[in-house]
Amino acid sequence: MPKVSRDTTTQGGDYGVVVDRSEEFGDYTVDFLTFREDVDHRPLLKGLPDDRCQCPHWGYVFRGELTFHFADHDEVYHEGDAFYAPPGHVPLHTEPGSEYLQISPSDELRRTSEVIMKNLGALGETG
């Protein structure tokens, strides 16, 4: 049976505000995420349906705090919380120093990541 740890991942990288260490297992991607700064994902999700992440995520918060916005409420996840974020969410706040594990369907995550990276590049060009 495959396994991975933060130290044995072979994908991802250091993107300045976030370190993403990941590995694909068949149809799913496991991400170990560490945020150095608070990140509001709203500008990064522009162009996705309803400008919201359409990829579901299952996760566990090792350290810190995350806030995800849904159409009808906000959800705050704290250290020690396991979570499920269905399609249609927007990460609004990630406390600096937050670390969490996220498991997502690889195809949906790839489509979302392509939009995020494109928007990140555009923000860098204008910023």
Side-chain angles (χ1 to χ4, degrees), residues 4 15-16 28 46 53 86 94 107:
V4 71
Y15 302 102
Y28 290 89
K46 295 284 184 196
C53 181
T94 309
D107 288 342

Side-chain angles (χ1 to χ4, degrees), residues 6-69:
R6 187 182 335 230
D7 297 327
T8 62
T9 59
T10 61
Q11 301 169 3
D14 187 333
Y15 302 102
V17 298
V18 63
V19 177
D20 178 3
R21 302 287 183 226
S22 63
E23 194 71 41
E24 284 191 42
F25 291 130
D27 295 337
Y28 290 89
T29 298
V30 174
D31 289 286
F32 294 91
L33 297 151
T34 302
F35 280 80
R36 293 184 176 121
E37 298 177 24
D38 189 7
V39 177
D40 176 352
H41 283 71
R42 286 178 288 195
L44 301 175
L45 298 174
K46 295 284 184 196
L48 289 169
D50 297 323
D51 295 332
R52 296 174 179 272
C53 181
Q54 300 302 311
C55 181
H57 309 288
W58 293 262
Y60 180 81
V61 182
F62 297 111
R63 182 184 321 171
E65 177 182 286
L66 322 170
T67 303
F68 285 14
H69 175 72

Side-chain angles (χ1 to χ4, degrees), residues 25-126:
F25 291 130
D27 295 337
Y28 290 89
T29 298
V30 174
D31 289 286
F32 294 91
L33 297 151
T34 302
F35 280 80
R36 293 184 176 121
E37 298 177 24
D38 189 7
V39 177
D40 176 352
H41 283 71
R42 286 178 288 195
L44 301 175
L45 298 174
K46 295 284 184 196
L48 289 169
D50 297 323
D51 295 332
R52 296 174 179 272
C53 181
Q54 300 302 311
C55 181
H57 309 288
W58 293 262
Y60 180 81
V61 182
F62 297 111
R63 182 184 321 171
E65 177 182 286
L66 322 170
T67 303
F68 285 14
H69 175 72
F70 298 91
D72 60 349
H73 73 287
D74 288 350
E75 196 71 49
V76 180
Y77 307 114
H78 301 276
E79 182 174 323
D81 287 344
F83 66 88
Y84 170 64
H89 63 275
V90 178
L92 290 182
H93 164 71
T94 309
E95 180 178 64
S98 292
E99 296 180 3
Y100 65 100
L101 169 74
Q102 175 177 282
I103 301 170
S104 315
S106 296
D107 288 342
E108 288 94 333
L109 183 61
R110 194 172 297 108
R111 285 192 292 272
T112 299
S113 295
E114 287 170 1
V115 171
I116 288 172
M117 295 309 283
K118 177 182 168 196
N119 287 332
L120 190 60
L123 288 172
E125 291 169 12
T126 60

